Amino acid sequence: MKTVAVVGAGVIGLSWARLFVEHGLTVRITDPRADLAEVVPDGVQIASTVAEAVRDADFVQENGPENLEFKKTLFAELVREAPQHALLLSSSSAIPSTAFTEGIDGSRVLIGHPFNPPHVIPLVEVVPGQQTSEESVTRAVEFYRSLGRTPVVERKEIPGFVGNRLQAALSREAAYLVEQGVVTPADLDAVVTNSLGLRWATVGPFLGAHLGGGPGGYRHLATHIGKSMRGLELGTPSQDPERLIEAVEDAYGSSTYSALAETRDRKQLAVLTALEEN
Ligand SMILES: NC(=O)c1ccc[n+]([C@@H]2O[C@H](COP(=O)([O-])OP(=O)(O)OC[C@H]3O[C@@H](n4cnc5c(N)ncnc54)[C@H](O)[C@@H]3O)[C@@H](O)[C@H]2O)c1
Ligand SMILES: O=C(O)[C@@H](O)[C@@H](O)[C@H](O)[C@@H](O)CO
């Protein structure tokens, strides 16, 4: 039975731990949070230190703060303390692993970036750093596939990788539209879930555009509609997000995190089931 260490038991680490234990792995988790014992999923073993968590790990999934200095310090410790064969994977949302492996052996270090929650959302962006060995990339893909995930290997490092750069582009405009009073957060979400979200769960942006061009395909769309789309001047949200935060809290603050998360998981699992059956 393979052993995986989960370093960081926040939003993402706890979701990874749930997925790992559901797939029969031995899971050790470590985090300085005082309530760790109350939040870990059943079957997960608590380790009091990083060294204890990784001591006999085959895989380490790091989910600490999104902070370069933190990840530099932690990955130096992981390279020292984890077994020489252990794969050292970071959930980082935007920091390529080359940035936090300078001066250490980064051959076993790479990004395994999930989308929240990884126990439901299948994508894992596998992004090797400049030192990452091809064997490590292969092992990472096999590891995530063994968990029923969909790893996509991205061969060029860029901050934010692919998914978050796309999400950032849409989120910027979403914030701008709410700040300008065009829509409320709930109505913006309704626009997305009743159109783009549904479309992109079945056909991605390029196939969707290709189909939007009708028999003429993407070429027709690009020439027929593309000019007006390319002419759109997208907005820039304000640097102070306070009003937006308050608007989102007004929209969703009356429901508990667990209730919202349970509804999200139920609906997303139903979509995944429907996609698998069609
Ligand atoms: N939240 C998301 O939607 C999401 C999605 C994908 C990836 N990520 C990435 O995953 C990582 C974690 O994000 P999160 O949202 O779970 O953050 P979080 O703030 O919920 O959790 C971070 C955890 O790290 C713990 N921590 C701090 N110092 C530590 C240490 N020395 N050792 C062990 N644990 C320590 C904190 O106590 C906290 O519980 C980040 O790199 C983030 O970019 C987040
Ligand atoms: O949406 C996600 O789960 C991921 O893209 C995260 O990495 C990211 O941090 C988001 O939560 C926020 O952009």
Side-chain angles (χ1 to χ4, degrees):
M1 181 186 295
K2 294 294 185 185
T3 297
V4 57
V6 176
V7 179
V11 170
I12 288 303
L14 290 174
S15 178
W16 275 124
R18 174 175 171 180
L19 180 73
F20 295 150
V21 80
E22 285 173 352
H23 280 76
L25 300 179
T26 298
V27 186
R28 291 201 182 87
I29 199 164
T30 187
D31 188 309
R33 63 187 290 180
D35 63 345
L36 183 60
E38 297 153 44
V39 297
V40 296
D42 291 342
V44 173
Q45 301 169 25
I46 289 176
S48 55
T49 65
V50 169
E52 180 189 337
V54 306
R55 72 170 185 276
D56 56 0
D58 301 296
F59 303 91
V60 179
Q61 187 75 37
E62 178 272 328
N63 320 278
E66 183 72 351
N67 173 283
L68 178 57
E69 291 312 309
F70 170 84
K71 295 197 191 294
K72 281 182 177 179
T73 304
L74 179 66
F75 274 85
E77 182 178 8
L78 294 177
V79 169
R80 282 196 313 272
E81 300 296 340
Q84 284 305 305
H85 74 280
L87 210 47
L88 310 178
L89 300 153
S90 174
S91 295
S92 176
S93 295
I95 308 172
S97 62
T98 295
F100 52 80
T101 51
E102 288 175 26
I104 64 174
D105 173 8
S107 60
R108 297 177 288 136
V109 180
L110 65 167
I111 297 296
H113 171 242
F115 270 64
N116 182 47
H119 68 270
V120 174
I121 303 281
L123 176 69
V124 182
E125 292 180 283
V126 175
V127 188
Q130 290 171 5
Q131 294 187 64
T132 307
S133 68
E134 269 310 302
E135 179 198 359
S136 295
V137 177
T138 302
R139 286 179 60 207
V141 168
E142 290 168 352
F143 173 58
Y144 291 124
R145 281 189 180 142
S146 73
L147 299 165
R149 301 305 85 185
T150 303
V152 173
V153 179
E154 298 166 7
R155 288 292 177 180
K156 185 170 185 178
E157 290 184 302
I158 187 168
F161 316 124
V162 173
N164 268 339
R165 294 180 74 90
L166 296 175
Q167 181 166 230
L170 187 139
S171 299
R172 279 172 60 92
E173 190 61 21
Y176 176 74
L177 292 170
V178 168
E179 288 175 354
Q180 294 300 310
V182 176
V183 281
T184 65
D187 286 342
L188 185 122
D189 283 353
V191 166
V192 173
T193 55
N194 288 282
S195 64
L196 298 177
L198 179 60
R199 172 187 291 169
W200 289 346
T202 53
V203 294
F206 286 113
L207 179 51
H210 184 59
L211 291 167
Y218 190 77
R219 180 175 299 279
H220 177 67
L221 187 83
T223 53
H224 165 53
I225 299 176
K227 188 174 180 181
S228 61
M229 295 299 286
R230 286 191 294 273
L232 288 178
E233 288 189 25
L234 302 183
T236 301
S238 71
Q239 290 305 306
D240 176 5
E242 186 53 35
R243 281 179 52 213
L244 178 63
I245 291 168
E246 289 171 2
V248 175
E249 288 175 340
D250 287 348
Y252 299 118
S254 59
S255 301
T256 63
Y257 169 75
S258 56
L260 291 171
E262 189 280 330
T263 301
R264 171 203 63 196
D265 290 5
R266 177 166 43 78
K267 290 183 175 181
Q268 289 178 1
L269 289 168
V271 168
L272 288 169
T273 300
L275 290 172
E276 285 161 10
E277 293 171 352
N278 289 279

